[in-house]
Amino acid sequence: MTEEINLTIDGIPITTRAGTSVLDAALENAIYIPHLCHHPDLKPVGACRLCGVEIDGGRMTMSCLEPARAGIEVVTESPEIALVRRTAVELLIANHDMDCLACAAATDCELLRLSAHVSVQSERLERLKGLTELKPVDNSNPFFSFDPNKCVLCTICVRTCEEIQGVRALALINRGYETVIGTFGNKPFIESVCESCGECVVRCPVGALAPKRFQKPAREVQTTCTYCGVGCGLYLGVIGDRIVSARGDRERPSNHGQLCVKGRYGFKFINHPGRLTTPLIKRNGEFEEATWEEALDLVAEKFSQHKGDSFAALASAKCTNEENYLIQKLTRAAMGTNTVDHCARL
Ligand code: SF4
Ligand code: SF4
Ligand code: SF4
């Protein structure tokens, strides 16, 4: 069992597990310490310099990298800490395209939250602004865009792609003021090894990586992705009878919230006007709508005309294990052949 330890943060006694960082211990106990590069799914890097705290009266240290220890006294706000945070946030905003009304992250932007918390001073911002030119937006990916002018270089996307997805499509490229997030060779996303899973997009704390189509759903429905046998858990966002969004279910052991490109973005076909919603039977060379009873009777009749090796079955990764078991049972026991295969094996 993990050892529990006691410490104080801003004079408030808290209990946490040994090994937890000071930042996580604070956040778990509803004590906000500003942060930008921290994400609970990723290893800490202490890059944004915003989560500084003072421990036992010592010098400022990054709370995301500092393990909580028994008996320590943590202070999250002081004049020195406030100055460091405000300067860091002002420099970020000075190089940021604050086009908030047109930004996909406008209602959930970590930079806006931070600027309100550290009381950014507009007259200082004016002096800092105007040093950089707008860089081109990468719209090459069909599902999301990358706007380097909104990027705060937190590297969450880079670490997500490496630590979670294992693709390593992204990196920090160039140096100093020229530093940007880019793909290998700074090619457009679509020409890189990016798999379009969108894991980086859902973790980007600002509007730099943003889905191209997003509508806030009226409600969400918990379900299972049917594209393949992994069976990832997801929540489909719905407006009326239209699906407008998908997000991974973090509680599902098969995917822990992750989705691939199909599960995250491949839901438009559901409401496509060309989608078949009733069985069709070909009569006199033309397809006609039929009931399920008519269709299944026809299939059974056709099956009865075959036995042994004139019959073959191809099962689908979209089916459950139980359904695939039944397909092979039907093929072997009822149709009398072992000619059964599965698309996941091909
Ligand atoms: S979409 Fe997926 S593969 Fe592409 S950069 Fe983002 S995390 Fe990496
Ligand atoms: S694109 Fe988003 S996640 Fe990546 S470094 Fe920029 S702000 Fe951070
Ligand atoms: S999200 Fe991708 S990996 Fe998960 S079940 Fe769907 S298709 Fe399979």
Side-chain angles (χ1 to χ4, degrees), residues 141 144 157 160-161 165 167-170 189 193-201 209:
N141 186 287
F144 57 83
C157 55
T160 297
C161 197
Q165 200 59 14
V167 175
R168 297 183 178 171
L170 302 174
F189 266 73
V193 295
C194 168
E195 295 177 355
S196 304
C197 65
E199 288 293 326
C200 54
V201 180
L209 280 162

Side-chain angles (χ1 to χ4, degrees), residues 3-300:
E3 184 197 352
E4 296 215 316
I5 54 171
N6 299 310
L7 61 148
T8 66
I9 300 182
D10 293 337
I12 302 166
I14 66 160
T15 301
T16 189
R17 298 168 310 285
T20 306
S21 72
V22 169
L23 177 59
D24 283 333
L27 296 175
E28 283 167 11
N29 286 276
I31 300 169
Y32 178 64
I33 298 177
H35 57 275
L36 202 51
C37 67
H38 171 77
H39 193 285
D41 298 339
L42 305 169
K43 291 180 202 145
V45 288
C48 68
R49 320 307 286 172
L50 290 168
C51 70
V53 295
E54 290 165 1
I55 296 178
D56 293 338
R59 296 182 56 163
M60 202 171 94
T61 178
M62 293 307 121
S63 61
C64 66
L65 297 172
E66 192 67 31
R69 285 170 280 120
I72 58 172
E73 293 178 11
V74 179
V75 172
T76 70
E77 298 283 352
S78 73
E80 188 200 343
I81 293 172
L83 180 64
V84 170
R85 283 186 188 147
R86 202 173 59 232
T87 306
V89 173
E90 284 173 354
L91 282 170
L92 283 174
I93 294 176
N95 290 308
H96 193 85
D97 181 20
M98 296 292 281
D99 185 16
C100 299
L101 286 180
C103 181
T107 57
D108 187 23
C109 176
E110 206 54 44
L111 191 57
L112 284 180
R113 204 169 290 134
L114 280 169
S115 64
H117 185 85
V118 303
S119 306
V120 163
Q121 295 173 359
S122 51
E123 61 278 11
R124 276 164 53 85
L125 273 183
E126 286 311 313
R127 288 206 302 276
L128 290 165
K129 267 194 175 299
L131 299 174
T132 46
E133 284 183 8
L134 286 184
K135 302 179 183 79
V137 176
D138 183 348
N139 272 313
S140 64
N141 186 287
F143 308 110
F144 57 83
S145 57
F146 171 55
D147 184 349
N149 308 296
K150 292 195 167 69
C151 175
V152 292
L153 297 176
C154 66
T155 71
I156 284 178
C157 55
V158 176
R159 288 177 285 138
T160 297
C161 197
E162 177 170 347
E163 292 177 31
I164 294 179
Q165 200 59 14
V167 175
R168 297 183 178 171
L170 302 174
L172 281 173
I173 52 180
N174 300 336
R175 292 280 181 276
Y177 274 116
E178 300 302 313
T179 308
V180 285
I181 295 295
T183 62
F184 184 73
N186 208 8
K187 290 184 180 153
F189 266 73
I190 200 68
E191 292 175 29
S192 74
V193 295
C194 168
E195 295 177 355
S196 304
C197 65
E199 288 293 326
C200 54
V201 180
V202 292
R203 287 180 182 79
C204 179
V206 292
L209 280 162
K212 282 189 171 168
R213 293 174 205 90
F214 179 75
Q215 278 184 284
K216 203 168 172 49
R219 65 191 171 94
E220 287 190 315
V221 180
Q222 189 180 28
T223 185
T224 301
C225 176
T226 55
Y227 270 117
C228 87
V230 177
C232 294
L234 48 75
Y235 286 90
L236 291 176
V238 181
I239 298 177
D241 62 358
R242 262 184 328 115
I243 294 173
V244 296
S245 65
R247 69 177 175 92
D249 182 350
R250 296 179 74 88
E251 304 303 319
R252 195 67 73 87
S254 55
N255 61 315
H256 298 289
Q258 285 176 249
L259 293 174
C260 77
V261 58
K262 293 183 285 182
R264 189 180 310 285
Y265 298 116
F267 53 80
K268 267 183 77 181
F269 77 94
I270 296 167
N271 296 107
H272 195 282
R275 182 183 165 203
L276 291 181
T277 51
T278 56
L280 300 178
I281 292 178
K282 202 176 226 181
R283 295 186 179 109
N284 303 320
E286 297 287 335
F287 280 113
E288 293 176 6
E289 286 193 2
T291 64
W292 279 104
E293 285 73 20
E294 287 172 312
L296 290 171
D297 283 350
L298 180 65
V299 170

